[in-house]
Amino acid sequence: CDQDSPHLLVNVRTAPAPEHDKHGTPAIHQSLAARDLLPERHYADTGYANVEAIVQAARDHDVRLIGPPRDNPSWQTKTEGGITHDDFKIDWEKRTASCPNGHTSSSVHNVWRVARGGDKYPMVEFVFTKSGCMTCRLRSLCTRNERTGKHITVLPRELYEALREIRGFLQTEEGQLEYNTRQGIEGTISQAVRAFPFRRSRYRGQSKTQLQQLATGAAINLVRV
């Protein structure tokens, strides 16, 4: 997507329809690396730019993967003044978390969470005391649990910091302007669907469909050249 380079397709990957997009990012980077075509920056949508892929791309290929992670679905994000996990300050050295009202967590646990699709993720859970939370003036904006104190569960440090960094970057004017580059990718998808019936396979089976899509990608490049 560089302004001074041809806007050509450099990789085509055909995957089974039920496969989640997040599994495609590492495979795409491996294919590009094998042909010395890795970009310095790779713009992707939410499905491909999950935080695990962002960290893996930087670690394994020195590629900065830029894309909006999934939004926080909690009720706090839909409440004016709601206190989300992002409002807590975490001291990873002391293994404590502090809430916006100044309370500090009383204990910490390493736990596993099962996400949609059956994937298991290592998480870190910070626990606050009931006595501290029950008298907190911000309680109604933070938790609805009447039996225990606040619990916050976050990703391990490397993933947590990467998530905060990319969210913060995309909220800046610079980040929004840079991510606008991805409009060209959406334009490419539109061209492939409308000018080249990209979503219709003439053949049965993944191997033959992949051959057709490789040929279509080459045809798009010929038209662009």
Side-chain angles (χ1 to χ4, degrees):
C1 295
D2 294 341
Q3 294 301 317
D4 57 348
S5 299
H7 293 179
L8 301 178
L9 279 69
V10 295
N11 194 77
V12 176
R13 178 175 182 268
T14 305
E19 181 181 299
H20 195 287
D21 292 344
K22 67 180 180 180
H23 298 300
T25 310
I28 291 168
H29 287 160
Q30 290 170 10
S31 176
L32 293 172
R35 291 172 287 132
D36 195 24
L37 287 173
L38 281 170
E40 293 181 1
R41 298 195 169 200
H42 182 182
Y43 305 97
D45 64 14
T46 298
Y48 290 92
N50 61 86
V51 67
E52 292 88 353
I54 290 173
V55 171
Q56 185 176 1
R59 181 186 63 231
D60 297 348
H61 301 291
D62 196 25
V63 170
R64 178 160 167 74
L65 181 60
I66 299 175
R70 281 192 173 84
D71 294 331
N72 185 340
S74 68
W75 64 265
Q76 290 92 336
T77 62
K78 304 175 181 64
T79 303
E80 184 177 357
I83 298 173
T84 69
H85 293 178
D86 292 336
D87 297 314
F88 287 74
K89 294 181 179 179
I90 296 179
D91 188 327
W92 292 100
E93 304 302 330
K94 296 181 180 179
R95 289 176 63 81
T96 60
S98 300
C99 77
N101 203 31
H103 296 293
T104 302
S105 59
S106 58
S107 60
V108 61
H109 310 283
N110 293 325
V111 297
W112 287 85
R113 290 285 185 268
V114 179
R116 287 183 300 177
D119 294 335
K120 289 187 176 182
Y121 290 90
M123 306 290 281
V124 182
E125 183 180 58
F126 296 93
V127 181
F128 292 78
T129 62
K130 180 180 179 180
S131 58
C133 289
M134 290 298 290
T135 58
C136 180
R137 61 183 177 84
L138 301 176
R139 178 178 176 81
S140 62
L141 297 173
C142 183
T143 181
R144 294 173 176 170
N145 193 330
E146 299 291 341
R147 297 182 178 180
T148 64
K150 175 75 172 180
H151 289 207
I152 65 168
T153 305
V154 301
L155 292 163
R157 181 174 184 175
E158 183 181 28
L159 299 177
Y160 176 83
E161 292 179 344
L163 184 61
R164 287 181 66 91
E165 190 280 329
I166 192 64
R167 279 179 172 165
F169 174 71
L170 289 175
Q171 289 174 356
T172 65
E173 183 178 353
E174 176 191 1
Q176 293 175 9
L177 184 63
E178 181 171 338
Y179 190 65
N180 282 342
T181 301
R182 200 181 169 278
Q183 293 178 5
I185 300 172
E186 291 295 335
T188 297
I189 296 172
S190 178
Q191 179 187 21
V193 172
R194 288 168 171 78
F196 307 81
F198 202 62
R199 290 182 175 153
R200 298 292 299 232
S201 177
R202 301 182 184 186
Y203 313 101
R204 295 173 185 262
Q206 184 172 331
S207 297
K208 291 182 179 180
T209 300
Q210 183 180 22
L211 178 61
Q212 175 186 326
Q213 293 184 343
L214 285 166
T216 304
I220 292 173
N221 283 346
L222 285 172
V223 168
R224 291 187 171 194
V225 169

